[in-house]
Amino acid sequence: MISVTAAIQQIAACRTSWGIERIPLEQAIGRVLAAPISADRDYPPFNRSLRDGFAIRISDYTAAKKKLFPISSVEEALQGHVIRIQNGDILPPEMDTVIGGEDVEEKKGNVSVSNDRVKVHQHVIRKGTDAAEGDLLLEPGCRIQFQHIGLLAALGIHHITVHRPPRVVIISVGNELRDANSYIFAGLLAQYGIQPVSRFVVQEPALEQTVIESLDADLLLISAGLTTVDTPVLPKVLQDCGVEQVFHRVRAKPCKPFWFGYSPTKTRVMLFPANAFSVEAGAKLFLESYIRACWNLPMVKPWLLPFLDYRAAVHTLDDIVPAILTNKNGLRIRAAHASGAGDIIAASRTDGIFLHSTDTGHLEPGSLVPFYPWADHQLTT
């Protein structure tokens, strides 16, 4: 058996590339950028006013003794004159400063400036302030969210180059009337814009043929009962199909039976125990780690947070525990009450999982524990 950390490292070491593709902006949410996005021009492309008032050349202002200026039209923008301007308006190229309306007195087509501390470029957002032409705006590896969609649309970009998603096949072994596990896998994959190409629920006698038929996929996810996962039966089926084992068993419950390998066709295969919380925890720790490694995203790393309560020491195996975030004297976590490893209802009310190591002994209030939030975007900071 290997530790959770070692399992994540070995999975990441088997990363691969699934290629790249061009997609329309409407399909980009959750996808990972494969090419840089740079500014095609200065942003803003001109000087813009930040105040209602009057635009002026700073040289005209400093040269004038009485600070009294005629008002001219925008079209004329005569030297020694000011022009009326509103917040957001484009400044004429000749003018570089805005005087707020509260600092002037307007009378008979002229304005008298009462503020004697006018400075060049005041109340002006200057050309190229947000970005200069050629500036890098989004780097490869950026996971596209709604705020990026707005930026890309504003840049006039309607197609982007992203990492191609893997072809994923999901197999649930057993005769469960309600198959939660394939939906757990599909839900995590959907967060990355990945849709499985096939989902099967099969009996053990049909497993070998289903695996053989699925080895053209990039990623094969299998969940099965302990009687097949934690014995040589199912791993032998996989190996008979040509799938080479990387490791089997993780020193943490309820993910102990987890198995990882790859086929000669380079299909990566993950085998999970069947209970739903095992699948949730394994998908968060192992499946997500593999996807992020393949797309060169930051790896899954836990937060170290103080524990709120007392918890007895664990022995033999580390314990993966559903956890709830609290904000009592700072951010802390507490273990959720669950009836067992299969308690998917309790897990659904939590914020993530924490790892109680056998090396830690018992936990006391304030003990630091590694916490993995379900919300994957929180792991990128």
Side-chain angles (χ1 to χ4, degrees), residues 214-240:
S214 302
L215 288 179
D216 59 344
D218 298 309
L219 184 57
L220 177 56
L221 307 176
I222 306 171
S223 64
L226 284 175
T227 55
T228 52
V229 179
D230 206 23
T231 66
V233 175
L234 191 49
K236 185 177 185 305
V237 169
L238 293 167
Q239 290 167 351
D240 289 346

Side-chain angles (χ1 to χ4, degrees), residues 264-283:
T265 58
K266 302 306 180 185
T267 301
R268 271 52 174 180
V269 181
M270 295 185 181
L271 176 56
F272 299 77
N275 79 70
F277 179 63
S278 297
V279 172
E280 288 178 335

Side-chain angles (χ1 to χ4, degrees), residues 164-176:
R164 188 185 300 277
R167 297 180 69 255
V168 182
V169 172
I170 298 171
I171 302 175
S172 290
V173 180
N175 54 7
E176 295 288 339

